[in-house]
Each structure stands twice: as C-alpha cells, then as structure tokens.
Amino acid sequence: MGCLLLLLLLFVRTIDGGASASCLSSQASILLSIKENLHLSYGRLSSWGGNESDCCLWEGVECDPHTGHIIGLELPGKATIDNSDIAGSRIPPALFDLHQLQHLDLSGCDFNMSTIPSQLAQLSHLTHLNLSWAWFSGKVPDEISSLSNLVALDLSYTTGLLEIQDLVGFVKNFKQLKYLHMDYVRFNLSNLQEWGANLALALPNLRSLSLAFCDLEGILTPHIFKLPHLQALDLSNNNFHGELMPLFFPPESKLQSLHLQGNDLSGHLPNEIFRLPLLKVLDVGYNELLRVSLPTKLPMSRLEILNLGGIEFLGDLLRVWIVNLTSLVELELSNTNLSGSLPFSIANLADLTHLDLSQTRLSGCIDTLLLQKASVIVTFWKKLDSRH
C-alpha cells in the first residue's frame, strides 16, 4: 500500500511538473500598455495582441511556467536608417508593474536622451539588466543600487551621457554581481588610489568588468586583477598610469581577456602575463611608455588575439617567441620599432586571419604561404615586398 501511494504521488508530481501556465490576462494588459507607448517599426512586437492569445508566446516574453507571471522581457532594439526599430520618449511606466521580472533587456532601443527612471528599483527580483546603447542621459538614479539580486548590469555605450557620482557606493549592495559593463559612463572617483581595492572588496564575485572610455585615472593596483573569479577585464582608453607589476598576474588567475590599450602605462610588460594559463586576448597597445622585453623562451600559449601596437620592443625578439603563439588569430604589431627581416615562422600560424605590421622597420617578403590564405588580412609597411 505504501509503495502504491508513493508511485501515485510521483505520478501526480510528474504531471504537475510537465504543465505550463498560460499568461495571465493582467500581464497581457501590461504588455499591450507598454506597446502603446513605444514607436515600433519593421514589424517589431507584431505578435503582441495578434493572433496568439497566450502572451507567454509573444516576442521577447518569458513567463514563469508555474504561475504565468512574466519573468523575462528581452527587447533589444536594432539600428535602422533613422534610429532604432524600438523607440520611445522614455521607458513606458507600465513596465514597472511587472513585479516578478527577472531579466530586462532594452539594449539598442532609443529612449531619446531621457533619464533612467528610478522606478526600475521597484523590480526587486531583477537579476539581469541591460540598458546599453539605449540613449539615456543624466545621472544614474541611486535607487538602482537597491537591486541586490543583480547578477549582470550593463549601462555601457551611451557615449558619455550617463554619470554615476560614487561608483563604489553605487555597487556596494551588488554582492551577487558577476558582470558589470559601464563603458563610456562618467564617474567622480573621490579616491583615485583606492578605488580599485574598494571596488574589488565590494564585488568579490566579478567575472567580467568593463570600464572603457570612462576618463578614469590614477595608478593601477593589483586588487582588480587578483579577483578570484575574474575572467574578462577591460580598462582601455582611460588615463591610468604607472607600471604593471608581476604580482598582478598570479599563476592561478582565471583571466581570459585583458584590454588595457590606450592608457599611459609605463615600465616593462611583465613576462608573467604570458604565462597565464587561460589568457586568450591580450591588448596593451598604444601605451607609449610601455616596453616589451620578452623572454627567448615563451611557454606554449593559448593567446588568440595579441595587440602590442604602438609600444617599444627591446631587442629583435619577434622570430624567437612567435613560434610558440600557435593559437593566434589576430596579431597587431603596428607602429613599433620592430626591424630586420620578417620571420617565415609567421606562415605557420594556421589560424591567423589578421596581421598588422604597418609603420614598422621590418623588411623582406610576406611569405607566399601566408598570402595564399584568402582569409588573412595583412597590413604592412610599404618597404615590405609581396611575393605572389
């Protein structure tokens, strides 16, 4: 009898687990109100209020399968000749009535330089918020910092129109945050020496941090680089100065992508950076005071993209270390003092699709084997000859 009851309970749970709730009528009404307050083109959101009555099946909508409440709204705008195929004077107020929303993506929409509404803080269940390329302006409301469940936040690419007064204070409640992208956002950093340490302390779970083109300045400190879970770091095109130290790059680092180009870094590029076991992208180009003195024996590397353009090489080392960078897809060495003959070993880089040797003193021939790869784009200084 007990076994029969257990089987019956398992059967009921299986049936219940397989059922999927339809969209609630109240939720459908909210979506239609949102649509009424947007300017749409190219058929966007045509399914909303169309032949399909279940709004869980409408474009960009995700529902909780048990309750029917909307938990995801993925509405990325697409660029058109005029602006975007989803536009509006502001985020429609009805959106803030989707109280169970967890994922919100309005990237690429055109909100006409309006401010980010503080009412977003009412969506307390949000874990993913993407407002990149959405043409907001002004101060990012402090209320957003109350969204303590955020795992991913992207406010990037508003071309300097957004401002956050206190970056560390803004993110202090985001203990679960893994992805923070704020390229082009302006910050007022009160402590230029400690901001990195304070940010690392506030966001211990970061996987990806992107703060490019933010007019940041000061000396880089090791704290950001040594976050235990960090996989991608982009601090490019700011005003950071000082040296990159070997202790920035512990051997247990999980870094896969590092962008530091366009700063004012100086000193020697640490060889330890080439020994990071997972690093695939390294871009430190156009730091004019940075020097590269690579060891004659580099370990076999996973690097796929390497940009050392615009920095000074100490010694003729190209032919020595290039042979171990067998995974390279893109190699940027333009505007460097490299000289001598071009090593034929470059032709052995089987995956190479982009090679920039422009504005160097290299001489000789571009190997026939390299040029025979139709996918390879080669940019070279006019003194180089092409052997076809």
Side-chain angles (χ1 to χ4, degrees):
M1 183 67 179
C3 292
L4 181 62
L5 181 59
L6 178 60
L7 288 173
L8 181 60
L9 288 171
L10 289 173
F11 177 76
V12 170
R13 288 183 181 179
T14 301
I15 296 297
D16 179 64
S20 182
S22 299
C23 177
L24 303 174
S25 59
S26 60
Q27 300 282 281
S29 297
I30 293 173
L31 290 179
L32 293 177
S33 180
I34 292 172
K35 180 179 179 180
E36 289 177 1
N37 285 274
L38 293 173
H39 304 292
L40 305 168
S41 56
Y42 297 93
R44 292 303 303 271
L45 308 189
S46 58
S47 62
W48 290 27
N51 296 328
E52 177 56 61
S53 59
D54 185 356
C55 74
C56 294
L57 301 177
W58 293 356
E59 177 189 346
V61 177
E62 179 188 0
C63 294
D64 185 307
H66 301 292
T67 67
H69 284 99
I70 295 172
I71 59 174
L73 208 54
E74 306 286 333
L75 302 177
K78 300 174 184 176
T80 66
I81 296 176
D82 298 322
N83 44 38
S84 172
D85 58 1
I86 298 180
S89 59
R90 56 177 177 167
I91 293 181
L95 187 144
F96 309 127
D97 294 327
L98 298 175
H99 299 297
Q100 302 302 313
L101 205 60
Q102 298 174 20
H103 295 244
L104 178 59
D105 183 355
L106 299 175
S107 60
C109 299
D110 184 354
F111 289 107
N112 198 34
M113 305 294 183
S114 62
T115 57
I116 295 176
S118 60
Q119 291 94 324
L120 278 171
Q122 298 174 17
L123 306 177
S124 59
H125 295 281
L126 275 181
T127 60
H128 294 72
L129 177 59
N130 189 347
L131 302 179
S132 62
W133 296 95
W135 293 105
F136 289 106
S137 64
K139 185 177 179 293
V140 178
D142 295 332
E143 288 83 354
I144 302 296
S145 63
S146 68
L147 296 173
S148 58
N149 291 314
L150 279 180
V151 173
L153 175 61
D154 193 340
L155 302 178
S156 56
Y157 288 98
T158 53
T159 59
L161 300 173
L162 284 178
E163 178 184 351
I164 293 177
Q165 287 294 319
D166 178 9
L167 174 60
V168 176
F170 181 78
V171 302
K172 65 181 180 181
N173 295 320
F174 298 158
K175 298 301 181 184
Q176 301 183 56
L177 201 68
K178 296 180 180 179
Y179 307 93
L180 178 62
H181 294 180
M182 291 191 173
D183 303 333
Y184 285 95
V185 177
R186 294 290 177 258
F187 305 107
N188 182 13
L189 299 177
S190 56
N191 192 329
L192 296 178
Q193 303 303 320
E194 299 296 330
W195 76 271
N198 293 336
L199 190 66
L201 184 64
L203 302 174
N205 294 309
L206 268 184
R207 267 67 168 172
S208 178
L209 175 64
S210 189
L211 299 174
F213 293 96
C214 292
D215 283 343
L216 297 172
E217 56 186 44
I219 297 176
L220 288 180
T221 57
H223 304 86
I224 292 293
F225 296 86
K226 297 174 75 172
L227 279 168
H229 307 292
L230 192 67
Q231 299 173 6
L233 177 62
D234 189 344
L235 299 176
S236 58
N237 295 286
N238 284 293
N239 301 303
F240 290 117
H241 60 275
E243 298 187 19
L244 294 173
M245 306 300 291
L247 61 85
F248 286 20
F249 309 106
E252 67 274 12
S253 171
K254 293 182 172 63
L255 262 183
Q256 298 179 25
S257 175
L258 178 60
H259 292 268
L260 297 173
Q261 77 272 18
N263 281 284
D264 298 314
L265 300 176
S266 59
H268 286 77
L269 186 66
N271 293 329
E272 285 76 9
I273 201 170
F274 291 96
R275 299 190 177 98
L276 295 180
L278 303 177
L279 193 66
K280 294 183 179 180
V281 178
L282 175 60
D283 186 350
V284 293
Y286 297 94
N287 286 278
E288 296 182 359
L289 300 179
L290 197 60
R291 306 289 181 264
V292 179
S293 179
L294 296 174
T296 55
K297 291 185 178 180
L298 272 178
M300 297 301 288
S301 172
R302 295 189 181 188
L303 274 176
E304 297 177 2
I305 298 176
L306 176 61
N307 181 2
L308 299 176
I311 62 181
E312 182 180 350
F313 281 77
L314 301 179
D316 182 15
L317 299 171
L318 180 59
R319 67 186 67 257
V320 177
W321 54 262
I322 198 69
V323 294
N324 281 348
L325 302 181
T326 55
S327 298
L328 279 182
V329 176
E330 298 182 18
L331 178 59
E332 164 78 48
L333 297 172
S334 63
N335 290 282
T336 62
N337 63 327
L338 284 171
S339 60
S341 59
L342 188 69
F344 291 116
S345 54
I346 287 182
N348 297 325
L349 302 178
D351 298 321
L352 195 67
T353 61
H354 178 88
L355 173 63
D356 192 342
L357 304 174
S358 60
Q359 304 297 317
T360 68
R361 297 178 181 176
L362 290 165
S363 60
C365 300
I366 299 293
D367 192 85
T368 304
L369 293 175
L370 188 62
L371 290 175
Q372 284 175 349
K373 298 179 185 179
S375 60
V376 178
I377 300 174
V378 184
T379 306
F380 50 86
W381 179 237
K382 62 183 181 180
K383 289 185 179 180
L384 284 172
D385 298 320
S386 298
R387 185 175 60 207
H388 298 279

